[in-house]
C-alpha cells in the first residue's frame, strides 16, 4: 500500500510551471530516487509535498489522508520529514538541540525524552560533537544534523534533498548505510541526488523529472539506459 | 488562472482609483490635492535618503531625523553668520554633512557592520540622543527660524488661492527620486550599492570595495538629509527634537513602499500626504489624520503581504 | 542538588525583596522606575527571541494603563484587579491584532506594530468622554498612597513575574520553538513547529506583560494621558536596555535595564545640564566596544576562560 | 537641625528652556538673597533635580529631595503630566510645596484640601476667565474692537486641549469654533486646513494655542492663504527667538504672563532683567525665568515672616504673601475653584509691535496702545 | 603564478590550516580532502576573506595577504564560492554582469562574456530575468560559476563547483576546466575526486589542515590512500 501518493500535482511561479501533472506513489519501506536536470522541479515538488509551497493544483495523500491543504507543521506531525537542499541549520542552537526540535515539535515529546531521542539519533548517524554550537560543525556534520532533525520527528516518509552532495566516497558509503538503516526502521524514503552512484546503490526505483513532469520511471538500471534520460540529464560519460 | 485574472482586475481598479481620486479631488477640494502633494513631498523627500541606506544597503539609521535637524541648524547659522539663504546654504550643507557622514561612518557605523544587525539600532539611537542633546546644549530648546518672504508666496486662480512655495518639496522629492534611480540603475557605483546591500561577501567577490561603498552611500545619505534640513528650515522651525518624528515617518514610508522600492516611497508619501490633507479638510476631524496615516500604512503593508502570499 | 541550583536565584530575589531595608524612599523610587523599564525591556526581548522586532511596546503599555485606570475609575475594583485587567486587555488586543499582523516579518512587522501603537493613542484621545481626551484621567488616590516601599514590592513582583515567565520561556520547549523560528522559519515549520501559533502566543504574552506594566505604572503615578502613557520612551529606552544588556536571554535585558537605569539617574545628578549627551555617548561607545552586549560579553569571557580550563 | 543652610528643593525639566532658564533664575534669586545675608541668618541652598519631563523621574526627584537632601520646601515644576506623577510622593511628605508650573485643572483636582500646597501658575480655566475680562476691558476701552466670533486652533495634545476647554466655558458669550492641529513640536507643522476653516468662519478673533515651534510657520501659512483676521492671537508658552524680527509678527496678539517690556513699568521686572543678563549673559526668553525668580522670593520672604521653618507657621506666612513680582502684578494667595492657595490668576494680553511684546492689558502695566486691526504682511 | 607558503589559520583555538604550502602555475590544480579538512578555509585565505595567522600568499610575485578581497579579485583572481554568494534580489543577468563590471579590463568584454556564459549554461539564458534567489540549487551553482568566469580571470578558484549540478553538466564543467587550464591557472577544491582528477594536472590532498599528499594527477590516481579514501576502490 502506498504511504504517500500525489495526483496531478502542479506548482506554478507566475508563468513558470515548475511542477506539472506529477503523479507518483511511494510504497512502504521503499527508497525512491528522484533525479532530473537542474531546475526540473525536484525541490519544488518536495516543497509542495511538505507544505512550504501550496500546490496550485492536484492532490497529495499521506496514507488515506488528504493533506493537500494542510500547513507544513501538520504534515510534519502526520509523518512527513524532510531535509533542505541549501542547508540552514539553526545556528543559535547546539547540534543536540537542532535534533531535539524535530522530536519536540514533530512528535511532541517531553524535553527529557527529546534529549534522549536526539542522543540516540546522533549516535545512529555517527554525529559525535553533539553539544557543540553549529558554527563549529563541518558540512558533513551539518548534513547529519539535517537528517537527524527530520528523523527525530519520527516520519513515515522522509525526503532527502541532495544530502549526499559534497561527501567523499568514504563518507558517502557511511551515509548510504545510515539511510538504509532508516529505511529498516520502516520509513519510506525519497532521495534527490545528482550523484549517480548513490542513486544506483540506494534506490529501489527511480523517477526522472524534466520540466516538472515524469519522463521516465523504473529501476535505476532501466532509466539510466533510457536515451531521453541520457540526453536530458546524464550526458555521455567519456 | 482565476487568481491571475482577479489580480489583473484588482490592478486595474487600483489604476483607475489612482487616476480617479485626484480628478475627483481636484474638482471637489482642490486644496486637498495641492496641500497633500506638498505635505507628502516633504515626507517623501526626507524619507528618500533613509530609503537609500536602509532599503539599499541595509543600515538602520535611527539618527536620520537628527541629522536633518542638525542640517537645519547649520543652515540657520549660515544665515546668521554668512547671510546665506537656507536654499543657498544647501550647497555648503551638502559638503559639510558629507564630511560629517563620512566621519560618523568611519568612527562608528563601520565597526557596527560586523556586529549583529540590531546593534545598529542601539548605536544610532545613542547617536540620535547625542545629536539632540548637543543641539540642546548649543542652542537651547527654543525654536529658531529665519524670516523668508518667498515661502508664503501664493497664486490665486479665481476663488482658489494656494501657496506655491511648498511645491518645492514635491519637486525635490521627484528630482531626488529620479537622480537616485539613475544613480542606482545606471551607474556602476549605484549597482555596487545594490549588490553590497544584498550580499556584502558576494560583492567583495566580484571586486566591489564594500567598505568604500558603505562609506559613500552613508555620506551621500547624510549629505542629502543635511541639505534637506536646510530646505526644511525654510518653512519650519528648528529645535533639538525637530528631527525625531521624521525618523519614524520615514521608517513608515519605507515599510509601506517595501524595502528597496524608492519610487514607492515617493508615491506613498504623496498618498499619505493627500490622505491626511483629506481628513483634515473636514472641520473637526484633524485629530484623526494620524489614524488615517497609520491605517493606510497598515492596510498597505498587510495588503502587500497578502498579495505576496497568494501570488 | 535541585536546591543548590536555585539557591542563587532565591538569594537574589530575597536580596531584591529586602532592598527597602537598606535603601531609602529615593532609591526605592528610582528602583521602581528601573524595574518598570526592565520589565518592558525583558518583554520586548521575549518577542525578539522569535525573530520578531516589536515596536508596539509603548502601545501595549499605554493600552494597559488606560484599561486599568478606566476600569478602576468606572467600576471601582481593587487596583490589583484593574492592573490585571490592563494586562488582559493588552494581551487580548495583541492576540486579535496578532492574528492579522503576525503574517508580517522584519521591518514590516516592526512598523505595523508601531503604527498600531499610534492608532491606540489617537483613538483613545478622540473619545474624551470616556478617556479624558488629550488631558487624560487622573486617580484621586494612587495605589498605597505613595508608600514607596509597598510600591517597590509591587513593581518588584511584576519584574520577578516577568523574569519567571522569561525563564519558563528559556527552559521549556518554547525556547527551541522560538529560536528555530528566528533562525529559519522554513526549517521550524517543516520540523513540526506551529510557527503562527507560537508567534501569536508570545506576542500576546509579552503584550500582556507590557499591559501589566502600564497598569502598574498608571496606578503608581496616578494618571493616564495620551502623551504620557504612550510616550516613545516606553519603546526606545527598553529597547536600548535590552540591546545593551544583550538580547535573546533573560539576564541581558535585566542587566541592561539595571545598568542603564542606574546610569541615567547617576549621570543626571552628576551633570544636571547635558547628562543625556553623556548617556547617549556611553551607549554609542558600549555598542562599539561590546557588540554582544554586557551579558554576551560576560558570557563569552566566561566561556573562554572555561574552555581554556577545560583544555588544560 | 537649626544649623546650616535652609534647603529648597526644585524639580524642573533642565533640558527644556523653561526648566533651564527657570532654574537659572532661581539660582539668581538665591544668590541675591544670600548676598543680602540670607534668611533668618541662614543661607539658602538650592538643590535642583532634573525631571527629564518624565513622571517617574519627577517622583524619584521628590523622594531624593525629601529623604536624601531633606529639603525644607519643594519648589519648581513645569509640565502637568510630570507633576501628576510627582503628587503621590509630595503627598507622602506633606512638606510645604510652592509650585510654579502645572496649569491643568486635573492637577487642581488632585491637590484639593492640601493646606501645604501653594500653586502660583494660573489654572487653565483661570487663564480663560482672565482673558474674558481682558477682552471685555479692551472692547470697552477701544470701541473699534468688536468680538462676536472666535476661532480656536489648538494643538491636539494636553496643553492645547486643556487651554481650549478651559477657555470655552469662560467665553460663552462669543460664538466659538475650535479645531485641533498637530504641533510642529510633535511632528506636525501644516496648519493650512485649520487656517482655511478659520478663514471660512471669518472670525473677529483667531487664536492658536500651540508651541513656540508653531509660531512662525502659522503666520507664514496664514499669509500664504491670505488669512488676516482682525485679531490674530497666539498663545504659546514661549515664543521663538526670531519672532519679533519677522515682518509677519507685527500686530500679532500674544497671551502670556510676562513680556520683557514689563520692565518698563515694573522696577522689580527691570531689576530681574538686568540681573539675569548680568549673571548669565543671555536674555530671559520664557516667563518661567521670572516665575522661578518669584518662586524663590515668595518662599524666602515667607520664611522670614514666619521666623521659623515650622510648617504651620510657614503656611500662615505664605498665606500672607504679598510679593511684587517681576511678572508685573503682586502675588497673593487666594482660593481658586477647588484649592485654597492659588497665586496668579491673571494673564496678560500682549501685542507684538516693532519686534517686541508690548502689554495691552491689564491697563496698569500697559506699555502700548493696541494696533487694530491686524493686517498681515 | 600563485604560491601559498606555510599558511596557518585558527578558528578560535582550532588549528584548521597547518603550514599549508602549494603552487599553481598555468595549469589546473586540484585540492582534495574530507569534509572539514580546511579546503574552504584555504581558498578564503587566498582571496582575503579570512586573515591567516602566518604564512604568505603571492600571486604574480605580489603578496595578496595584506590586500582586501576586492583588490585580490581585481588583480585577476576569481572565486566560485562554495556558498555561491549570489545577489538574491538581482536578476540572473545582473548577477552575471556584476561579475565583470568591477574588474578593470573585463568591462569591455562584457557582452562576449555574457554570451559565453549563456552558451555554457543555456538554462541561465532562459532564466535571465528571474531573480537569482528563486533559482534552483543547481541553477544557482551554474550562475556562481558563470559569474566568476565573466571576468576572464588569470586565476580561477573553484570551491566544490560540481555540488548540485546534474551529471551531464559536471562532465562538461570538468571538461571546461581542463580546457581552461591550458590558458589560465585554476585551483579547484572538489569532492568528486574521480572525475576531477581527470580534469586537473596536479593535485593536493589536505587532511586535518595539512597537506598529506601532492603530485601529478595520474600519480595520485594510483596512490593507495587516494584510491581507498577518495575513490572508494
Ligand atoms: N567560521 C568558522 N568558525 C569556526 N570554525 C570553522 C569556521 N569555518 C570553518 N570552521 C571549521 O574549520 C574546519 C575547516 O573548515 P573548511 O570549511 O575550511 O573545510 P573544508 O575542507 O572546506 O570542508 P567542506 O568539505 O566541509 O567544505 C572545519 O572543522 C570547520 O568546522
Ligand atoms: N520562487 C520561485 N519563483 C520563480 N521560479 C522559481 C521559484 N522557485 C523555483 N523556481 C524555478 O522553478 C524551477 C524548479 O526549481 P527546483 O528548485 O524545484 O529545481 P530542482 O529540480 O530542485 O533543481 P536542482 O537540481 O538544481 O536543485 C527552477 O527553474 C526554478 O528557477
Ligand atoms: Mg533542488
Ligand atoms: Mg569547503
Amino acid at each position: 500500500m502506498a504511504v504517500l501518493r500525489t495526483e496531478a500535482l502542479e506548482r506554478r511561479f507566475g508563468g513558470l510551471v515548475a511542477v506539472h501533472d506529477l503523479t507518483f506513489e511511494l510504497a512502504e519501506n521503499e527508497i525512491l530516487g528522484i533525479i532530473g536536470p537542474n531546475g526540473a522541479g525536484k525541490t519544488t515538488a518536495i516543497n509542495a509535498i511538505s507544505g512550504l509551497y501550496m500546490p496550485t493544483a492536484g492532490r497529495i495523500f499521506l496514507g488515506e489522508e488528504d493533506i493537500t491543504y494542510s500547513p507544513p507543521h501538520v504534515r510534519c506531525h502526520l509523518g512527513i520529514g524532510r531535509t533542505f537542499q541549501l542547508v540552514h541549520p539553526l545556528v543559535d542552537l547546539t547540534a543536540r538541540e537542532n535534533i531535539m526540535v524535530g522530536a519536540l515539535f514533530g512528535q511532541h515529546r517531553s524535553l527529557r525524552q527529546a534529549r534522549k531521542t536526539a542522543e540516540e539519533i546522533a549516535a545512529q548517524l555517527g554525529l559525535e560533537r553533539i553539544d557543540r554550537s553549529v558554527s563549529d560543525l563541518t558540512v558533513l556534520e551539518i548534513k547529519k544534523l539535517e537528517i537527524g532533525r527530520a528523523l527525530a520527528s519520527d516520519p513515515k516518509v522522509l525526503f532527502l534533498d541532495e544530502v549526499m552532495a559534497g561527501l567523499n566516497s568514504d563518507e558517502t558509503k557511511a551515509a548510504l548505510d545510515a539511510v538504509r538503516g532508516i529505511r529498516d526502521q520502516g520509513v519510506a524514503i525519497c532521495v534527490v541526488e545528482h550523484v549517480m552512484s548513490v542513486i544506483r546503490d540506494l534506490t529501489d526505483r527511480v523517477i526522472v523529472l524534466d520540466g516538472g513532469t515524469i519522463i521516465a520511471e523504473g529501476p535505476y538500471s532501466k532509466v539510466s539506459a533510457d536515451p531521453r534520460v541520457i540526453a536530458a540529464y546524464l550526458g555521455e560519460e567519456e | 488562472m482565476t487568481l491571475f485574472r482577479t489580480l489583473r482586475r484588482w490592478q486595474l481598479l487600483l489604476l483607475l482609483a489612482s487616476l480617479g481620486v485626484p480628478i475627483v479631488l481636484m474638482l471637489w477640494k482642490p486644496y486637498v490635492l495641492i496641500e497633500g502633494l506638498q505635505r507628502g513631498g516633504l515626507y517623501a523627500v526626507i524619507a528618500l535618503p533613509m530609503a537609500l541606506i536602509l532599503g539599499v544597503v541595509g543600515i538602520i539609521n535611527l539618527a536620520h531625523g537628527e541629522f536633518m535637524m542638525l542640517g537645519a541648524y547649520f543652515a540657520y547659522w549660515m544665515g546668521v553668520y554668512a547671510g546665506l539663504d537656507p536654499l543657498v546654504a544647501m550647497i555648503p550643507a551638502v559638503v559639510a554633512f558629507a564630511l560629517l557622514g563620512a566621519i560618523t561612518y568611519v568612527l562608528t557605523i563601520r565597526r557596527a557592520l560586523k556586529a549583529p544587525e540590531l546593534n545598529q539600532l542601539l548605536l544610532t539611537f545613542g547617536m540620535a540622543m547625542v545629536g539632540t542633546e548637543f543641539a540642546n546644549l548649543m542652542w537651547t530648546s527654543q525654536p529658531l527660524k529665519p524670516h523668508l518672504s518667498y515661502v508664503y508666496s501664493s497664486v490665486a486662480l479665481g476663488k482658489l488661492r494656494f501657496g506655491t512655495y511648498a511645491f518645492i518639496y514635491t519637486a525635490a522629492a521627484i528630482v531626488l527620486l529620479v537622480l537616485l534611480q539613475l544613480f542606482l540603475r545606471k551607474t556602476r557605483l549605484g549597482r555596487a550599492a545594490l549588490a553590497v546591500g544584498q550580499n556584502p561577501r558576494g560583492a567583495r567577490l566580484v571586486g566591489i570595495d564594500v567598505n568604500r561603498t558603505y562609506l559613500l552611500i552613508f555620506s551621500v545619505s547624510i549629505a542629502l538629509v543635511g541639505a534637506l534640513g536646510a530646505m526644511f528650515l525654510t518653512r519650519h522651525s528648528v529645535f533639538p527634537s525637530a528631527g525625531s518624528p521624521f525618523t519614524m515617518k520615514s521608517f513608515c514610508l519605507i515599510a509601506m513602499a517595501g524595502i528597496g522600492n524608492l519610487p514607492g516611497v515617493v508615491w506613498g508619501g504623496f498618498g499619505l500626504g493627500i490622505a491626511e490633507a483629506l481628513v483634515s479638510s473636514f472641520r473637526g476631524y484633524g485629530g484623526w489624520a494620524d489614524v488615517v496615516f497609520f491605517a493606510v500604512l497598515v492596510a498597505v503593508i498587510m495588503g502587500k503581504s497578502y498579495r505576496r502570499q497568494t501570488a | 542538588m535541585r536546591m543548590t541550583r536555585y539557591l542563587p536565584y532565591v538569594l537574589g530575589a530575597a536580596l531584591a525583596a529586602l532592598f527597602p531595608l537598606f535603601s531609602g524612599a529615593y532609591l526605592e523610587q528610582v528602583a521602581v522606575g528601573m524595574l518598570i523599564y526592565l520589565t518592558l525591556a525583558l518583554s520586548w526581548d521575549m518577542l525578539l527571541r522569535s525573530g520578531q522586532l516589536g515596536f508596539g511596546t509603548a502601545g501595549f503599555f499605554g493600552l494597559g494603563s488606560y484599561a486599568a485606570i478606566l476600569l478602576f475609575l468606572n467600576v471601582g475594583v481593587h487596583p490589583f484587579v484593574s492592573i490585571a485587567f490592563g494586562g488582559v486587555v493588552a494581551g487580548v488586543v495583541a492576540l486579535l491584532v496578532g492574528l492579522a499582523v503576525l503574517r508580517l516579518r522584519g521591518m514590516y512587522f516592526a512598523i505595523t506594530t508601531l503604527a498600531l501603537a499610534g492608532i491606540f493613542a489617537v483613538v483613545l484621545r478622540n473619545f474624551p468622554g470616556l478617556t479624558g481626551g488629550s488631558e487624560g484621567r487622573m486617580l484621586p488616590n494612587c495605589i498605597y498612597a505613595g508608600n514607596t516601599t509597598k510600591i517597590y514590592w509591587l513593581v518588584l513582583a511584576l519584574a520577578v513575574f516577568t523574569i519567571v515567565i522569561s525563564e519558563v520561556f528559556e527552559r521549556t520547549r518554547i525556547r527551541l520553538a522560538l529560536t528555530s523560528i528566528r533562525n529559519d522559519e522554513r526549517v521550524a515549520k517543516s520540523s513540526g513547529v506551529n510557527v503562527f501559533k507560537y508567534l501569536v502566543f508570545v506576542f500576546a504574552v509579552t503584550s500582556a506583560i507590557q499591559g501589566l506594566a502600564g497598569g502598574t505604572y498608571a496606578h503608581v503615578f496616578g494618571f493616564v494621558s495620551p502623551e504620557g502613557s504612550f510616550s516613545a520612551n516606553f519603546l526606545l529606552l527598553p529597547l536600548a536596555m535590552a540591546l545593551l544588556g544583550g538580547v535573546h536571554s533573560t539576564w541581558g535585558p535585566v542587566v541592561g535595564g539595571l545598568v542603564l537605569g542606574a546610569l541615567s539617574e547617576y549621570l543626571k545628578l552628576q551633570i544636571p545640564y547635558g547628562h543625556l549627551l553623556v548617556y547617549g555617548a556611553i551607549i554609542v561607545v558600549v555598542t562599539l566596544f561590546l557588540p554582544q552586549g554586557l551579558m554576551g560579553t560576560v558570557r563569552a569571557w566566561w566561556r573562554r576562560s572555561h574552555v581554556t580550563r577545560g583544555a588544560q | 537641625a537649626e544649623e546650616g543652610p535652609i534647603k529648597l528643593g526644585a524639580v524642573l525639566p533642565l533640558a527644556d528652556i523653561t526648566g533651564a532658564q527657570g532654574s537659572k533664575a532661581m539660582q539668581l534669586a538665591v544668590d541675591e538673597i544670600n548676598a543680602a545675608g540670607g534668611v533668618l541668618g541662614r543661607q539658602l541652598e538650592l538643590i535642583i533635580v532634573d525631571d527629564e519631563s518624565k513622571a517617574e523621574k519627577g517622583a524619584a526627584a521628590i523622594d531624593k529631595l525629601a529623604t536624601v537632601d531633606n529639603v525644607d520646601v519643594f519648589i519648581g515644576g513645569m509640565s502637568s503630566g510630570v507633576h501628576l506623577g510627582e503628587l503621590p510622593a509630595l503627598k507622602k511628605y506633606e512638606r510645604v510645596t510652592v509650585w510654579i508650573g502645572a496649569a491643568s485643572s486635573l492637577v487642581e483636582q488632585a491637590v484639593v484640601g492640601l493646606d501645604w500646597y501653594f500653586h502660583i501658575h494660573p489654572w487653565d480655566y483661570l487663564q480663560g476667565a482672565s482673558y474674558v475680562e481682558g477682552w471685555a476691558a479692551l472692547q470697552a476701552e477701544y470701541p473699534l474692537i468688536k468680538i462676536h466670533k472666535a476661532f480656536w486652533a489648538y494643538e491636539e495634545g494636553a496643553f492645547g486641549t486643556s487651554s481650549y476647554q478651559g477657555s470655552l466655558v469662560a467665553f460663552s458669550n462669543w460664538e466659538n469654533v475650535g479645531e485641533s492641529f498637530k504641533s510642529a513640536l510633535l511632528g506636525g507643522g501644516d496648519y493650512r486646513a485649520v487656517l482655511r476653516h478659520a478663514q471660512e468662519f471669518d472670525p473677529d478673533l483667531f487664536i492658536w494655542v500651540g508651541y513656540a515651534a508653531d509660531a512662525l510657520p502659522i503666520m507664514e501659512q496664514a499669509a500664504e492663504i491670505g488669512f488676516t483676521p482682525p485679531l490674530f492671537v497666539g498663545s504659546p508658552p514661549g515664543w521663538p527667538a526670531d519672532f519679533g524680527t519677522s515682518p509677519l509678527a507685527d500686530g500679532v496678539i500674544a497671551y502670556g504672563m510676562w513680556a520683557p517690556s514689563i520692565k518698563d513699568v515694573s522696577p522689580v521686572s527691570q531689576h530681574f532683567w538686568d540681573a539675569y543678563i548680568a549673571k548669565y549673559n543671555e536674555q530671559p526668553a520664557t516667563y518661567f525665568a521670572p516665575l522661578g525668580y518669584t518662586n524663590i522670593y515668595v518662599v524666602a520672604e515667607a520664611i522670614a515672616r514666619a521666623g521659623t521653618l515650622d510648617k504651620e507657621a510657614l503656611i500662615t506666612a505664605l498665606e500672607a504673601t504679598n510679593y511684587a513680582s517681576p511678572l508685573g502684578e503682586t502675588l497673593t494667595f487666594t482660593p481658586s475653584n477647588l484649592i485654597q492657595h492659588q497665586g496668579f490668576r491673571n494673564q496678560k494680553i500682549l501685542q507684538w509691535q516693532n519686534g517686541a511684546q508690548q502689554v495691552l492689558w491689564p491697563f496698569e502695566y500697559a506699555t502700548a496702545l493696541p494696533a487694530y486691526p491686524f493686517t498681515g504682511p | 603564478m600563485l604560491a601559498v607558503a606555510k599558511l596557518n589559520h585558527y578558528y578560535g583555538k582550532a588549528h584548521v590550516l597547518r603550514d599549508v604550502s602549494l603552487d599553481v602555475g598555468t595549469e589546473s590544480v586540484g585540492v582534495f580532502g574530507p569534509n572539514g579538512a580546511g579546503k574552504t578555509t584555504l581558498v578564503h585565505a587566498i582571496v582575503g576573506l579570512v586573515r591567516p595567522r602566518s604564512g604568505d600568499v603571492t600571486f604574480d610575485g605580489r603578496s595578496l595577504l595584506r590586500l582586501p578581497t576586492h583588490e585580490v579579485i581585481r588583480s585577476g583572481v576569481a572565486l566560485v564560492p562554495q556558498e555561491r554568494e549570489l545577489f538574491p534580489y538581482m536578476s540572473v543577468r545582473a548577477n552575471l554582469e556584476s561579475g565583470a563590471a568591477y574588474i578593470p579590463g573585463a568591462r569591455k568584454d562584457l557582452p562576449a562574456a555574457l554570451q559565453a556564459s549563456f552558451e555554457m549554461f543555456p538554462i541561465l539564458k532562459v532564466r535571465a530575468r528571474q531573480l537569482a534567489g528563486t533559482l534552483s540549487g543547481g541553477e544557482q551553482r551554474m550562475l556562481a560559476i558563470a559569474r566568476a568566469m565573466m571576468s576572464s580571470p588569470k586565476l580561477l578558484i573553484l570551491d566544490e563547483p560540481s555540488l548540485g549540478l546534474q551529471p551531464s553538466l559536471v562532465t562538461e564543467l570538468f571538461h571546461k576546466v581542463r580546457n581552461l587550464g591550458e590558458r589560465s591557472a585554476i585551483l579547484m577544491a572538489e569532492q568528486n575526486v574521480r572525475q576531477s582528477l581527470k580534469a586537473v594536472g596536479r593535485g593536493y590532498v589536505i587532511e586535518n589542515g595539512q597537506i598529506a599528499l601532492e603530485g601529478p594527477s595520474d600519480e595520485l590516481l594510483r596512490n593507495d590512500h587516494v584510491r581507498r579514501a577518495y575513490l572508494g576502490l
Side-chain angles (χ1 to χ4, degrees), chain E residues 112-154:
Chain E
L114 204 58
Q115 207 49 48
S117 302
F118 288 152
E119 260 161 44
M120 183 170 175
F121 300 117
I123 187 79
L124 293 184
K125 187 162 188 181
V126 180
R127 301 255 171 272
R129 293 159 63 97
Q130 192 172 323
L131 297 188
T134 65
L135 292 178
S136 84
E139 289 164 345
Q140 293 194 12
R141 179 72 55 198
M142 296 176 215
L143 181 54
I145 296 169
R147 185 180 71 179
M149 308 235 282
M150 283 293 290
S151 62
S152 319
K154 283 186 274 182

Side-chain angles (χ1 to χ4, degrees), chain A residues 139, chain E residues 39-40 82 159-160:
Chain A
V139 174
Chain E
K39 305 179 294 293
T40 300
Q82 192 175 343
D159 195 0
E160 311 214 6

